[in-house]
Amino acid sequence: MRIDFQEVVTSTNDILLEEHPKEDMALVAFRQTKGKGRKGREFFSPSNTGLYMSLILHPECNVQDAIKLTTIMAVAACRAIEKYDDSVIKIKWVNDLYKNEQKISGILTECSPNIVDGIPEYLVVGIGINVYAPDEGFPLDIMNKAGALFDVMKEDIRKDLAISIVDEFEKIYASFPDCDYEDEYIERSMLIGRDVYIVGGDKVRVINIDSNLGLVVMHENGDVETLTAGEVSLSLK
Ligand code: BTN
């Protein structure tokens, strides 16, 4: 697909949602002035260090399948990053990437306002990656959990990394919605066997991720429940 590169934009997700080009394409920026995270949060998007990219897609699928786009992007980005870094990149269900227990990337998938017969007109999958550590450090509210792929920039790999992510995404997406990537998503999960907190709720132990990528958890009273993406947020502490 076509990839447009811009130095600075408001938000790559917002631009594709507003302009909604008819063909699938990627928009890459190296700084965002209004980077968005999940739940209306800001996504720290400073210059010179990060990669901010969104894909607009027209898959003619139902909303349930559309949720897969987030997890496909997670696996694609892990594969692409590992071409440049020897570490193993892990996925914190459902849409965060971690290196050495620090969040280096987040993914936000958004849907067109138009949904006809249960099929969204288009979808936008955005990913932000802290490729290099920012000189000024991370903001106070995220400094405990945020990290970067590399401490310093020896050479700037961000453009190549963006191309690689699109390439890996397209390999999986070619057979959408029957893609074969779930086992890798599960293998890369950093949560299985760990205790996590459901935001605003219980501490639970993660037992497994099922083939629909639901998170199977056990509550302290022994009750087992499967959480689906979009329902809950989890925190590690
Ligand atoms: C999160 O961690 O809550 C998700 C963050 C998603 C950030 C990316 S950066 C590219 C795209 N444009 C945005 O405004 N947000 C996404």
Short mmCIF file of all heavy atoms in Angstrom, two decimals, residues 11-13 32 34-38 43 52-54 96 103 106-108 126-128, ligand 1:
data_model
loop_
_atom_site.label_atom_id
_atom_site.label_comp_id
_atom_site.label_asym_id
_atom_site.label_seq_id
_atom_site.Cartn_x
_atom_site.Cartn_y
_atom_site.Cartn_z
N SER A 11 -2.58 14.39 14.43
CA SER A 11 -2.65 12.98 14.83
C SER A 11 -2.83 12.18 13.53
O SER A 11 -3.73 12.51 12.74
CB SER A 11 -3.87 12.77 15.76
OG SER A 11 -4.42 11.48 15.60
N THR A 12 -2.01 11.20 13.32
CA THR A 12 -2.13 10.42 12.07
C THR A 12 -3.49 9.73 12.02
O THR A 12 -4.08 9.61 10.95
CB THR A 12 -0.98 9.40 11.93
OG1 THR A 12 -0.94 8.59 13.10
CG2 THR A 12 0.36 10.08 11.72
N ASN A 13 -4.00 9.29 13.18
CA ASN A 13 -5.35 8.69 13.18
C ASN A 13 -6.39 9.71 12.74
O ASN A 13 -7.22 9.44 11.88
CB ASN A 13 -5.72 8.19 14.59
CG ASN A 13 -5.42 6.72 14.80
OD1 ASN A 13 -4.46 6.20 14.25
ND2 ASN A 13 -6.22 6.07 15.62
N GLN A 32 3.69 14.35 16.56
CA GLN A 32 2.26 14.68 16.55
C GLN A 32 2.01 15.76 17.58
O GLN A 32 2.57 15.71 18.69
CB GLN A 32 1.42 13.46 16.91
CG GLN A 32 1.52 12.30 15.94
CD GLN A 32 0.58 11.15 16.31
OE1 GLN A 32 -0.32 10.84 15.57
NE2 GLN A 32 0.79 10.54 17.47
N LYS A 34 -1.18 16.43 18.51
CA LYS A 34 -2.37 15.99 19.27
C LYS A 34 -2.47 14.47 19.22
O LYS A 34 -3.52 13.91 18.85
CB LYS A 34 -3.63 16.60 18.66
CG LYS A 34 -3.79 18.07 19.01
CD LYS A 34 -5.17 18.56 18.62
CE LYS A 34 -5.29 20.04 18.92
NZ LYS A 34 -6.20 20.72 18.03
N GLY A 35 -1.37 13.80 19.56
CA GLY A 35 -1.36 12.34 19.55
C GLY A 35 -2.39 11.81 20.56
O GLY A 35 -2.46 12.29 21.69
N LYS A 36 -3.16 10.84 20.13
CA LYS A 36 -4.23 10.31 20.97
C LYS A 36 -3.93 8.90 21.43
O LYS A 36 -3.50 8.06 20.64
CB LYS A 36 -5.54 10.19 20.17
CG LYS A 36 -6.11 11.46 19.66
CD LYS A 36 -7.51 11.22 19.09
CE LYS A 36 -7.51 10.26 17.92
NZ LYS A 36 -8.82 10.11 17.29
N GLY A 37 -4.19 8.64 22.70
CA GLY A 37 -4.12 7.27 23.20
C GLY A 37 -5.53 6.75 23.42
O GLY A 37 -6.50 7.42 23.05
N ARG A 38 -5.62 5.58 24.02
CA ARG A 38 -6.94 5.04 24.31
C ARG A 38 -7.59 5.84 25.43
O ARG A 38 -6.93 6.51 26.20
CB ARG A 38 -6.82 3.58 24.73
CG ARG A 38 -6.80 2.66 23.52
CD ARG A 38 -6.71 1.23 23.96
NE ARG A 38 -5.67 1.08 24.96
CZ ARG A 38 -5.74 0.21 25.96
NH1 ARG A 38 -6.77 -0.58 26.09
NH2 ARG A 38 -4.74 0.11 26.81
N PHE A 43 -1.29 10.83 23.70
CA PHE A 43 -0.15 9.94 23.47
C PHE A 43 1.07 10.81 23.23
O PHE A 43 1.12 11.59 22.28
CB PHE A 43 -0.39 9.01 22.27
CG PHE A 43 0.68 7.96 22.14
CD1 PHE A 43 0.70 6.86 22.98
CD2 PHE A 43 1.67 8.09 21.17
CE1 PHE A 43 1.70 5.89 22.87
CE2 PHE A 43 2.68 7.12 21.06
CZ PHE A 43 2.69 6.02 21.91
N TYR A 52 5.08 7.54 14.48
CA TYR A 52 3.63 7.59 14.66
C TYR A 52 2.99 7.27 13.31
O TYR A 52 3.23 7.99 12.33
CB TYR A 52 3.21 8.97 15.17
CG TYR A 52 4.12 9.42 16.29
CD1 TYR A 52 5.12 10.38 16.08
CD2 TYR A 52 4.05 8.80 17.54
CE1 TYR A 52 6.01 10.72 17.08
CE2 TYR A 52 4.94 9.14 18.55
CZ TYR A 52 5.91 10.10 18.32
OH TYR A 52 6.80 10.42 19.31
N MET A 53 2.26 6.19 13.26
CA MET A 53 1.80 5.73 11.95
C MET A 53 0.37 5.21 12.04
O MET A 53 -0.01 4.57 13.02
CB MET A 53 2.70 4.59 11.48
CG MET A 53 2.23 3.94 10.20
SD MET A 53 3.48 2.90 9.50
CE MET A 53 3.34 1.48 10.55
N SER A 54 -0.42 5.51 11.01
CA SER A 54 -1.77 4.95 10.94
C SER A 54 -2.03 4.36 9.57
O SER A 54 -1.54 4.88 8.56
CB SER A 54 -2.83 6.03 11.21
OG SER A 54 -2.61 6.62 12.47
N ASP A 96 -0.62 -3.17 23.77
CA ASP A 96 0.63 -2.48 24.11
C ASP A 96 1.81 -3.40 23.85
O ASP A 96 1.72 -4.60 24.09
CB ASP A 96 0.65 -2.10 25.60
CG ASP A 96 -0.35 -1.00 25.92
OD1 ASP A 96 -0.72 -0.24 25.00
OD2 ASP A 96 -0.75 -0.91 27.10
N LYS A 103 6.78 -0.17 28.53
CA LYS A 103 5.93 0.03 27.35
C LYS A 103 6.65 0.89 26.33
O LYS A 103 7.03 2.02 26.62
CB LYS A 103 4.61 0.70 27.78
CG LYS A 103 3.72 1.05 26.58
CD LYS A 103 2.34 1.53 27.00
CE LYS A 103 1.60 2.13 25.80
NZ LYS A 103 0.22 2.49 26.08
N GLY A 106 2.07 1.73 21.72
CA GLY A 106 0.64 1.51 21.93
C GLY A 106 -0.09 1.56 20.59
O GLY A 106 0.40 2.17 19.64
N ILE A 107 -1.23 0.89 20.55
CA ILE A 107 -2.00 0.80 19.30
C ILE A 107 -3.43 1.27 19.57
O ILE A 107 -4.02 0.92 20.61
CB ILE A 107 -2.01 -0.66 18.78
CG1 ILE A 107 -0.58 -1.12 18.47
CG2 ILE A 107 -2.90 -0.80 17.53
CD1 ILE A 107 -0.42 -2.61 18.27
N LEU A 108 -3.97 2.05 18.66
CA LEU A 108 -5.34 2.54 18.80
C LEU A 108 -6.07 2.34 17.48
O LEU A 108 -5.69 2.92 16.46
CB LEU A 108 -5.31 4.04 19.15
CG LEU A 108 -6.65 4.77 19.20
CD1 LEU A 108 -7.49 4.27 20.38
CD2 LEU A 108 -6.43 6.28 19.35
N GLY A 126 -3.82 2.80 14.33
CA GLY A 126 -2.66 3.68 14.58
C GLY A 126 -1.70 3.05 15.57
O GLY A 126 -2.13 2.42 16.55
N ILE A 127 -0.43 3.23 15.33
CA ILE A 127 0.58 2.73 16.27
C ILE A 127 1.61 3.82 16.53
O ILE A 127 2.03 4.52 15.61
CB ILE A 127 1.26 1.43 15.74
CG1 ILE A 127 2.32 0.94 16.75
CG2 ILE A 127 1.90 1.64 14.37
CD1 ILE A 127 2.78 -0.48 16.50
N GLY A 128 1.96 3.97 17.78
CA GLY A 128 3.02 4.91 18.16
C GLY A 128 4.14 4.12 18.81
O GLY A 128 3.87 3.24 19.65
C1 BTN B 1 -2.35 3.84 23.68
O1 BTN B 1 -1.25 3.45 24.11
O2 BTN B 1 -3.27 4.19 24.45
C2 BTN B 1 -2.55 3.85 22.19
C3 BTN B 1 -1.65 4.86 21.55
C4 BTN B 1 -1.80 4.97 20.05
C5 BTN B 1 -0.90 6.07 19.50
C6 BTN B 1 -0.88 6.12 18.00
S1 BTN B 1 0.38 7.18 17.41
C7 BTN B 1 -0.26 7.08 15.81
C8 BTN B 1 -1.77 7.16 15.94
N1 BTN B 1 -2.19 8.54 16.00
C9 BTN B 1 -2.71 8.87 17.18
O3 BTN B 1 -3.14 10.00 17.50
N2 BTN B 1 -2.70 7.80 18.00
C10 BTN B 1 -2.16 6.62 17.33
#
